[in-house]
Amino acid sequence: MDTYADLVFLGGKVVTVDADFSVASALAVTGGTISAVGGRDDVEPLIGPATRVVDLRGRTLLPGINDSHLHGCAFGMATPPLSLDVGHPTVSSLTDVAEAVAQAVRRVPDGQWITGHGWDPGFLDECVADPSRSPSRRDLDAVSPDHPVVLYSFSGHATWVNSKALELIGIDRSTVAPPGGAIVVDAAGEPTGLLHEGAQALVQNALPALGRQERTDAIKATLATLARLGVTSYTEPGLGPGGAGIMRGALGGETLDVYHRLLADGELTARVGVLLLPTGMASTAEEFARALTDLDAADASRAADPRRLAIHGVKIFADGVVPNKTAWMHEPYIGGGCGSLCVGGETDSARIAEIDAMIRHAHAAGHQLGVHVTGDRAIDTVADAFAAAVAEHPRADARHYVIHGDFLTAHSMKVLAAHDFGVNMNPTIKWTVADMEEEFVGAGRAAYAWPYRDAIDAGVRVASGSDAPVTYPDWRQGVATMMLRESKAAGRVSGPEQRIGLAEAIRTYTIDAAWQDFADDWKGSLEPGKVADLCVLDGDLLTADPHDIPDMPVVLTVMDGQVVHDTVRN
């Protein structure tokens, strides 16, 4: 034979995720491409003297996982040793958080900023016991009077700082929050140390900027973690000037430069699709259009391997998140208020006009749009704006999508399906916040959140992502959650009518995520001619109890035919 395979897999469950979700037992890889799928007889002729033969021994071979919403640089920056872990289960109380900060104070030089990530009031004992109790600067001041402390919430939509940080930033009772943001104050009008949404930029602008080496180290750490998890592709959703005030600028344009360098140096061990972020929260349509024009000019001359690093489109923030009561809802939250769109404008109608103009402008310029939107009223607004933009500027296969889509309505599903638009959902966030959201929207609405069953039945393209560092990028937990709808804190079922099956769940992390990337014709399933992006699970995924899926080890990961993680023992 002229060409032998580089890799051959035998004796397992080869889950192809083709149109029929067929299952084979053998697969061959030649030169970075899948060259045969079927049984032993189909691949044995491809075995040569240098071919590595992997006896799967009943294990499961899947397409490489595509986490379709993951902040790569921010995730690396948010995890030890680059940041304190103040998330569950590492900490369980405000006291635990204070102790973690106290330990950091003893380790770092006087005056150095201390950063951490992951706090969630739904997993802090004091906040659970008293829902009116929120993290405060006073919880941190006793252990860190002289070091400024910045702790990012798990959602990325709230930041908790101590008094020293407020002093250095210049925030006091007279400070006015930026549009779309909130500086939380106590009964006396003094800042509590909590900043929501766009007000977080006040912190980011005061922090030392990330250096190129810090960004490089963060992305490399993320790539190593993803390889161990079987993730071979991800969407970096929002890099550009609009990210300069988020996570110490981890979403800024400099991070895109680092990705290009890693690609050039052969160190990009996952495929990365990028949404550009022209502006952050609370921008106007005019600011957005100007920034987008500048970005297009700056990136027009970039040369890259589009199958390794590609810019797909742009991201817009339409509203906030439910735990901050900043998602725009049709019905009020418990305690009142409906949230609002977070773009510029003094009234709802003015803000709707602004988001319409942003979407229309980006669509007319030929970009795919990914819009962060969580509240049901905001989602309806965005879906209608997508449809209006396409009607005004017809363009085939735009593949716009709503990001998160927590409270998709029947109306928005109908609009999305009719135009072949998509939704990017987050099962691991559902798992994390299911119990907590009842405090804000009640049991019924909380159970409905992330309606996978309804969306798929309506014909909407559904992809899944972790939103790391909001949650850990473990697709196995995501699959289990889609099948079970059980919560992390209490294990209670939340919205059983929205459960989906194993095959449907896997598709959201593979072929439908590839569709979001305009890449379903060359990745996302195990079929001859497609790229050899693969992962191997130790066990039979097809017969496993869904409760056991999160603990099934990933023993081998292959990206473009190259092994990037390997613990297989034959």
Side-chain angles (χ1 to χ4, degrees):
M1 171 166 287
D2 294 333
T3 304
Y4 290 112
D6 302 308
L7 272 171
V8 163
F9 297 87
L10 298 167
K13 298 289 182 69
V14 179
V15 181
T16 66
V17 198
D18 62 7
D20 298 320
F21 206 78
S22 58
V23 180
S25 62
L27 179 143
V29 173
T30 306
T33 302
I34 297 169
S35 48
V37 180
R40 180 178 291 268
D41 292 346
D42 298 300
V43 301
E44 279 190 334
L46 300 176
I47 298 174
T51 302
R52 179 183 176 183
V53 179
V54 178
D55 183 355
L56 291 171
R57 298 181 181 177
R59 300 182 182 104
T60 305
L61 177 63
L62 292 162
I65 300 303
N66 189 340
D67 189 317
S68 53
H69 188 85
L70 183 154
H71 302 279
C73 183
F75 175 61
M77 286 300 304
T79 51
L82 299 176
S83 179
L84 292 180
D85 181 359
V86 290
H88 180 82
T90 303
V91 301
S92 299
S93 65
L94 294 171
T95 301
D96 289 347
V97 174
E99 177 55 31
V101 171
Q103 292 179 18
V105 167
R106 292 192 284 269
R107 292 194 302 265
V108 304
D110 290 347
Q112 181 172 313
W113 289 80
I114 293 170
T115 61
H117 193 280
W119 62 271
D120 179 349
F123 293 94
L124 297 174
D125 290 344
E126 298 90 339
C127 301
V128 172
D130 178 4
S132 67
R133 175 74 159 94
S134 294
S136 165
R137 58 189 170 90
R138 293 183 176 86
D139 296 312
L140 307 174
D141 288 349
V143 296
S144 185
D146 300 316
H147 290 75
V149 179
V150 178
L151 305 178
Y152 305 100
S153 73
F154 81 99
S155 71
H157 288 258
T159 300
W160 171 18
V161 301
N162 67 345
S163 294
K164 187 65 176 180
L166 289 174
E167 174 191 334
L168 294 176
I169 298 165
I171 294 176
D172 58 27
R173 63 184 297 128
S174 64
T175 304
V176 177
I183 299 170
V184 180
V185 297
D186 61 20
E190 295 292 337
T192 67
L194 286 182
L195 307 172
H196 290 170
E197 308 299 349
Q200 297 175 102
L202 299 173
V203 181
Q204 301 305 320
N205 294 337
L207 285 167
L210 287 176
R212 176 178 287 270
Q213 191 58 52
E214 288 177 287
R215 296 172 196 272
T216 301
D217 292 345
I219 295 171
K220 283 184 175 181
T222 293
L223 292 169
T225 297
L226 297 182
R228 293 191 295 270
L229 291 169
V231 177
T232 57
S233 293
Y234 65 93
T235 297
E236 177 76 78
L239 298 179
I246 303 174
M247 279 290 291
R248 292 183 63 194
L251 306 190
E254 297 87 348
T255 298
L256 184 56
D257 295 336
V258 172
Y259 274 115
H260 279 280
R261 174 49 55 191
L262 289 170
L263 174 64
D265 293 343
E267 297 182 279
L268 198 57
T269 55
R271 304 181 192 278
V272 180
V274 175
L275 293 180
L276 298 174
L277 188 62
T279 54
M281 296 180 181
S283 68
T284 66
E286 182 181 354
E287 291 166 343
F288 176 84
R290 185 167 57 249
L292 181 59
T293 299
D294 292 342
L295 273 179
D296 286 342
D299 286 300
S301 62
R302 286 185 186 266
D305 177 351
R307 290 194 173 190
R308 292 291 188 98
L309 179 61
I311 295 173
H312 294 310
V314 297
K315 179 179 179 180
I316 297 171
F317 284 98
D319 68 350
V321 293
V322 168
N324 289 349
K325 295 188 177 181
T326 50
W328 194 28
M329 306 292 285
H330 283 295
E331 300 296 328
Y333 292 97
I334 293 176
C338 291
S340 71
L341 294 174
C342 67
V343 296
E346 296 300 319
T347 65
D348 286 340
S349 59
R351 287 186 286 268
I352 290 171
E354 289 290 294
I355 200 76
D356 286 350
M358 291 180 187
I359 288 171
R360 185 171 62 251
H361 182 87
H363 171 79
H367 294 286
Q368 181 190 41
L369 276 153
V371 180
H372 167 110
V373 59
T374 63
D376 50 16
R377 190 172 181 185
I379 296 168
D380 284 348
T381 299
V382 168
D384 289 342
F386 283 167
V390 171
E392 184 174 343
H393 300 282
R395 190 173 104 223
D397 207 23
R399 304 196 188 188
H400 301 323
Y401 61 99
V402 296
I403 296 172
H404 306 309
D406 310 24
F407 292 95
L408 280 171
T409 66
H411 170 77
S412 55
M413 291 180 203
K414 183 178 180 180
V415 173
L416 295 174
H419 294 86
D420 205 16
F421 300 143
V423 59
N424 189 290
M425 292 191 184
N426 316 106
T428 45
I429 301 182
K430 171 65 179 178
W431 177 61
T432 302
V433 306
D435 295 310
M436 179 182 66
E437 283 202 337
E438 292 188 9
E439 301 171 18
F440 303 100
V441 295
R445 282 193 288 178
Y448 177 80
W450 288 281
Y452 271 91
R453 177 77 277 148
D454 284 1
I456 290 173
D457 288 349
V460 180
R461 300 268 193 170
V462 182
S464 289
S466 63
D467 202 10
V470 174
T471 64
Y472 192 71
D474 193 338
W475 62 276
R476 298 166 299 179
Q477 181 60 60
V479 167
T481 299
M482 285 183 268
M483 297 176 70
L484 297 168
R485 300 283 290 196
E486 292 179 354
S487 67
K488 177 180 179 180
R492 292 191 296 121
V493 174
S494 178
E497 67 281 356
Q498 296 301 336
R499 288 170 173 156
I500 61 174
L502 176 66
E504 293 168 315
I506 291 173
R507 287 188 187 280
T508 71
Y509 278 117
T510 54
I511 193 65
D512 289 333
W515 172 88
Q516 180 184 291
D517 290 347
F518 296 91
D520 47 318
D521 59 335
W522 57 267
K523 74 172 183 178
S525 61
L526 303 182
E527 300 178 83
K530 287 196 168 184
V531 294
D533 294 354
L534 323 164
C535 77
V536 177
L537 273 183
D538 192 5
D540 184 352
L541 178 63
L542 300 180
T543 61
D545 184 321
H547 294 91
D548 296 332
I549 291 173
D551 295 321
M552 296 179 72
V554 175
V555 296
L556 186 72
T557 305
V558 177
M559 200 282 286
D560 206 33
Q562 302 299 309
V563 174
V564 295
H565 167 67
D566 187 1
T567 60
V568 171
R569 298 290 181 265
N570 287 134

